[in-house]
């Protein structure tokens, strides 16, 4: 997984957050800015609990969303 860039608004440290429904987003620890969320497909959530690989893919997508900003 690629390294997270600093927050574009305040320069704070960014962290990946995984929610209780296994969505992921990146948020700034200083100002609270957030990336666009990344989600597991609905069928994966309904039919079986996600495995580590699924969660890692969602976290990687959230990282890409955060790092792709202008």
């Amino acid at each position: 997984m690629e390294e997270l860039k600093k927050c574009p608004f305040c320069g704070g440290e960014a962290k990946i957050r995984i929610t209780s429904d296994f969505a992921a987003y990146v948020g700034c620890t200083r100002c609270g800015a957030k990336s666009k969320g990344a989600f597991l497909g609905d069928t994966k959530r309904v039919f079986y609990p996600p495995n580590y690989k699924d969660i890692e893919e969602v976290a990687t997508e959230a990282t890409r969303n955060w790092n792709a900003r202008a």
Side-chain angles (χ1 to χ4, degrees), residues 1-55:
M1 193 167 15
E2 58 189 282
E3 188 175 326
L4 290 169
K5 293 180 180 179
K6 299 249 183 224
C7 177
F9 303 107
C10 72
E13 182 182 1
K15 298 262 185 194
I16 295 175
R17 308 286 187 204
I18 307 292
T19 66
S20 59
D21 62 348
F22 302 103
Y25 67 91
V26 176
C28 176
T29 59
R30 188 185 305 169
C31 73
K34 294 179 183 177
S35 71
K36 178 177 140 188
F39 305 94
L40 284 175
D42 287 336
T43 54
K44 286 185 178 180
R45 276 190 280 186
V46 171
F47 295 114
Y48 67 89
N51 60 38
Y52 177 77
K53 183 175 176 10
D54 293 331
I55 294 169

